[in-house]
Amino acid sequence: MAKAGVMNFFQHQDQARKKTGRLIILFFIAVALIIVAIYFTFQLILGFAVFDSQSSSYDSKATFVWWEPVTFLGVALIVSLFIFGASLFKIHQLKDGGSAVATMLGGRRVGASTKDAGERRLYNVVEEMAIASGVPMPQVFVLDQESGINAFAAGFTINDAAVAVTRGTLVTLSRDELQGVIAHEFSHILNGDTRLNIRLMGVLFGILAIGIIGRTFVHVTGRGSRRSSRSGKGAGGIILAGVALMIIGYIGTFVGRLIKAAVSRQREFLADASAVQFTRNPDGISGALKKIGGYSFGSGLLTPKAEEASHFFFSRGTTMKLFSSIMATHPPLEERIARIDPSFDGKFSKVDAPKEFIQTAKQQRAMFAKTALALQGIPVGTILAEGKTMAAPKPGKVVDMIGTVSAGHLSYSASLIGLIPPEVKKCVETPPDAACAIYGLLLDRDGEERAKQVEMLTERLGDKEAQELRAIYDKVKNLDPRVRLPLVDFAAPALRDLPKEETGLFMKNIEDLIISDKVVTLFEFCLHFLVAKRLKDRGKPQKVSFHYFPPLVKDMETLLSLLAHRGNPTDPQKAAEAFNAGAARIPEMDGKSVYDPQAKPGLKDLNRNLKRLASASFGLKRKIIDACAHCAFADQVITVSEGELLRVISAALDCPLPPFLPEVKAA
């Protein structure tokens, strides 16, 4: 079995940032080389034109020189503006994140209500992985036209991520193999690879666009010259320029492939190892890789956009023979399999696509029902109903859970999904219903107060929406506390499809529902913050503003005071002890910061604190989460409120926290 990389989530994020820096350096080097090549090409074309006009009387020493600084600066400016402009244009096209990439490659969105058994199985696997990893539910796509076995994940952040698989993947892989592939893709999401991949696609497009212009020059000018013999001589220089640009464009393509290979290959080994770690089933991902090797369609994609996105895929998506060893974005299948399964002999068995899917939707429903019942029989659980507590894990382990998944997390997430009634899950599939489901979670349990809230929404949304809201409230009001926030993440893909003008009204409605009773509960804050982050942070990676802790001490004091108070609302002494346990983890606070029992920040205040903490470096974020965990677990017990706040704090810092696993005591 392959061993997972020794780096943790925070080191992976720092490494991704460093790789982005190296990518920028490589990009500038490539641009500089292209500028030089185009400048000398321009000078050559100019010399050709002068020679053509002066014929044999042309004196190159008198009329032409190779080095002209003014001309070079002009070429450098024009080429730079073109390349950067084309790159910015491409990045703008991809502003919606993962869904934009999936749509560009021909993906079709899949929802929980799909009737296709394979698509339903895919959606279930992604749901399980999302809950197990603490990542919001990505949008799910299927590339119907692709027969090869392949998949990819894309997105600027975890809030706009998408996961896509080919039709060949659905009809060929078993559930375990599909789970291995999805675990591999979630590793890319957790490690920041998807953000780097989209930036890489946008950056390289500017270089590739030069070759496109060269081909256009040759095609248009050549056709025009055939129509007019008089323009033949004048067109010669333009055709030569077009050919030169085509050659430079191919050089750009070559350089682009080298950059993608340099950035991508080692990450594939890491993602494979992570998939084994996540699932504890090496046969899953190794089985998928073996099937690719023996499958008649392989992993290749037919879409002409495959080259642009070649570094996204689970396996090689394009066919390349020349320089394949140095330009391949993925390591050889044999090497990847051998690292997971040392007994692999290098031979691939022939694989034919089955006529029917391996598991039916009925079997899936039976499985989830079984796991839900199994959950009820677990005697000890980390997160229990509101007001109840139990023995908690060691707080030092919480920070190591960030960005990881285990087989236990996957099993537990399947059990949690089983606790959500099918009619509730159906409520979050479309934007209007997803919005109503969020409203339903916020409606007051007091009948009189709830009537006022519904009346307010009726005035804003209309009678039809209000009627739908009442029906949805009846479905969500008795939800297990453990699945309330996961339901918010399940609703995120549909909420992202809300029109811009409706998104503003939706957020205002949420805020007004929360403050309608003049009391903001911690759950209401957590829900508000998660929804806002999932909708507003799409395509906007957090800028790092703080590399040292002193400017953040006040924000951290407020956060730890709130955590300490929520865990010990009736015992100020224990609350102070919890605060000190957290503060002791940060040298700048240890022995200097004091618990404030009056620290009860409102929505805006706590939002501001979290946003400042979110702009810290990942090294500081590790300290923040570690301190919060020690504060929350100081009394060795945890409530739902504490668990939800820890989840929101981690989400605010873009550090996905898996659910706390039930702790089963030995008999």
Side-chain angles (χ1 to χ4, degrees):
M1 181 188 300
K3 293 184 179 179
V6 296
M7 291 189 296
N8 59 37
F9 170 82
F10 303 95
Q11 292 170 320
H12 284 307
Q13 297 301 315
D14 285 334
Q15 185 186 65
R17 290 182 183 275
K18 291 177 182 178
K19 284 184 177 180
T20 301
R22 288 198 291 269
L23 168 62
I24 293 173
I25 293 173
L26 291 172
F27 173 69
F28 277 111
I29 292 174
V31 171
L33 293 175
I34 289 172
I35 288 173
V36 171
I38 291 181
Y39 166 74
F40 284 112
T41 299
F42 177 80
Q43 290 295 82
L44 181 64
I45 299 304
L46 181 62
F48 175 82
V50 172
F51 178 81
D52 185 55
S53 63
Q54 296 183 1
S55 187
S56 60
S57 63
Y58 172 60
D59 184 352
S60 61
K61 293 183 180 180
T63 61
F64 178 73
V65 292
W66 279 104
W67 177 245
E68 293 183 354
V70 175
T71 303
F72 178 81
L73 290 175
V75 170
L77 179 62
I78 293 172
V79 173
S80 298
L81 288 175
F82 172 80
I83 292 177
F84 284 106
S87 294
L88 289 175
F89 170 76
K90 190 65 175 181
I91 292 174
H92 177 73
Q93 278 190 323
L94 302 173
K95 67 182 185 301
D96 290 333
S99 61
V101 177
T103 302
M104 181 191 79
L105 294 172
R108 172 179 58 82
R109 177 87 171 273
V110 172
S113 61
T114 176
K115 303 301 182 183
D116 184 285
E119 293 173 5
R120 180 64 215 175
R121 181 181 60 180
L122 167 67
Y123 202 88
N124 288 341
V125 170
V126 175
E127 280 183 331
E128 293 169 14
M129 196 66 65
I131 289 183
S133 62
V135 168
M137 179 68 184
Q139 292 182 325
V140 182
F141 289 82
V142 172
L143 278 61
D144 290 307
Q145 74 282 11
E146 302 293 352
S147 300
I149 301 174
N150 224 320
F152 67 87
F156 283 105
T157 71
I158 61 174
N159 299 302
D160 60 19
V163 173
V165 304
T166 61
R167 176 58 61 179
T169 300
L170 289 186
V171 302
T172 307
L173 300 188
S174 70
R175 192 182 197 280
D176 285 347
E177 291 163 349
L178 180 63
Q179 187 182 64
V181 171
I182 297 303
H184 174 106
E185 298 307 328
F186 264 76
S187 172
H188 286 312
I189 295 174
L190 290 166
N191 292 334
D193 297 338
T194 55
R195 176 172 63 250
L196 182 63
N197 283 342
I198 287 190
R199 287 175 172 170
L200 188 59
M201 176 184 282
V203 164
L204 294 182
F205 180 78
I207 297 175
L208 300 177
I210 292 176
I212 297 173
I213 289 182
R215 288 194 295 271
T216 303
F217 273 10
V218 172
H219 177 71
V220 174
T221 307
R223 185 174 56 185
S225 64
R226 287 193 297 270
R227 293 177 180 174
S228 175
S229 60
R230 289 180 299 175
S231 64
K233 291 184 178 180
I238 298 178
I239 293 177
L240 181 59
V243 171
L245 288 177
M246 285 178 62
I247 294 173
I248 293 170
Y250 287 126
I251 294 174
T253 301
F254 178 81
V255 172
R257 286 176 173 173
L258 285 178
I259 292 175
K260 286 192 287 187
V263 171
S264 302
R265 296 184 67 172
Q266 196 59 36
R267 292 179 302 148
E268 296 304 318
F269 284 130
L270 174 62
D272 287 345
S274 296
V276 175
Q277 179 188 22
F278 292 174
T279 62
R280 286 293 186 267
N281 180 13
D283 293 337
I285 189 167
S286 65
L289 292 169
K290 290 174 184 177
K291 281 189 175 179
I292 290 174
Y295 189 46
S296 56
F297 295 107
S299 60
L301 275 72
L302 299 177
T303 172
K305 300 287 187 179
E307 172 59 40
E308 281 187 66
S310 59
H311 53 300
F312 281 90
F313 300 129
F314 171 71
S315 184
R316 189 177 301 180
T318 59
T319 301
M320 184 190 312
K321 296 181 180 179
L322 189 63
F323 302 114
S324 60
S325 61
I326 62 173
M327 292 197 301
T329 53
H330 293 70
L333 284 175
E334 295 84 353
E335 187 175 353
R336 292 175 68 182
I337 297 171
R339 291 198 180 196
I340 302 169
D341 179 10
S343 65
F344 178 58
D345 60 6
K347 298 179 181 179
F348 295 105
S349 302
K350 184 179 178 181
V351 177
D352 295 318
K355 295 180 180 180
E356 298 179 357
F357 298 128
I358 297 174
Q359 291 177 297
T360 65
K362 183 177 180 180
Q363 290 172 321
Q364 285 298 301
R365 287 195 295 270
M367 183 196 72
F368 281 120
K370 182 178 179 180
T371 54
L373 290 174
L375 180 62
Q376 304 302 326
I378 295 177
V380 182
T382 301
I383 301 179
L384 300 181
E386 187 62 59
K388 297 183 180 180
T389 59
M390 58 137 315
K394 293 181 180 180
K397 293 184 178 181
V398 173
V399 75
D400 294 328
M401 292 167 59
I402 300 292
T404 66
V405 182
S406 69
H409 286 123
L410 285 173
S411 176
Y412 184 64
S413 65
S415 300
L416 286 179
I417 292 172
L419 294 178
I420 305 177
E423 61 270 19
V424 173
K425 290 184 67 177
K426 190 174 179 61
C427 291
V428 298
E429 294 182 10
T430 64
D433 287 349
C436 282
I438 301 300
Y439 297 151
L441 291 173
L442 293 171
L443 289 181
D444 203 286
R445 289 302 181 95
D446 179 77
E448 185 177 344
E449 184 61 38
R450 185 169 67 252
K452 294 178 182 178
Q453 293 175 319
V454 173
E455 183 180 357
M456 176 193 72
L457 291 177
T458 302
E459 293 178 359
R460 298 180 182 181
L461 304 175
D463 292 332
K464 183 179 179 181
E465 290 290 333
Q467 184 176 358
E468 182 68 21
L469 172 60
R470 292 187 183 93
I472 289 179
Y473 171 74
D474 289 336
K475 298 174 183 177
V476 303
K477 64 181 180 181
N478 294 321
L479 273 180
D480 188 294
R482 289 166 290 186
V483 299
R484 294 181 301 182
L485 289 183
L487 186 65
V488 174
D489 278 338
F490 284 164
L495 293 175
R496 293 174 197 152
D497 290 336
L498 281 171
K500 188 174 182 180
E501 60 276 8
E502 292 184 21
T503 300
L505 176 61
F506 171 63
M507 292 305 302
K508 178 173 174 52
N509 288 340
I510 289 178
E511 293 169 5
D512 289 345
L513 285 173
I514 290 174
I515 65 176
S516 63
D517 59 357
K518 308 295 190 268
V519 177
V520 180
T521 67
L522 195 57
F523 168 71
E524 289 173 336
F525 165 76
C526 291
L527 183 148
H528 176 272
F529 188 91
L530 276 182
V531 171
K533 185 166 184 64
R534 301 315 185 212
L535 294 182
K536 295 180 180 180
D537 282 5
R538 292 179 289 170
K540 297 179 181 179
Q542 181 66 55
K543 180 181 178 181
V544 176
S545 302
F546 300 101
H547 295 274
Y548 304 98
F549 215 94
L552 299 173
V553 167
K554 291 296 182 183
D555 301 285
M556 199 62 195
E557 286 175 348
T558 300
L559 190 59
L560 289 181
S561 292
L562 178 64
L563 255 177
H565 174 73
R566 292 301 305 183
N568 306 274
T570 61
D571 193 333
Q573 183 177 349
K574 285 189 175 181
E577 292 173 357
F579 177 92
N580 292 333
R585 305 295 296 179
I586 299 175
E588 292 83 354
M589 298 178 65
D590 188 17
K592 305 169 188 175
S593 298
V594 180
Y595 169 63
D596 180 7
Q598 304 303 318
K600 299 177 183 179
L603 280 178
K604 292 183 179 179
D605 294 328
L606 194 50
N607 267 305
R608 183 174 61 252
N609 295 139
L610 287 175
K611 286 180 179 179
R612 282 174 55 82
L613 294 172
S615 60
S617 67
F618 274 100
L620 296 185
K621 288 179 179 179
R622 179 183 176 89
K623 292 182 179 180
I624 292 168
I625 296 176
D626 182 58
C628 289
H630 278 79
C631 177
F633 297 143
D635 56 359
Q636 299 301 306
V637 294
I638 186 172
T639 65
V640 168
S641 292
E642 290 175 304
E644 288 177 340
L645 184 55
L646 277 176
R647 175 182 170 85
V648 167
I649 291 170
S650 299
L653 304 184
D654 288 323
C655 300
L657 178 65
F660 297 107
L661 293 179
E663 185 179 62
V664 181
K665 295 181 179 179

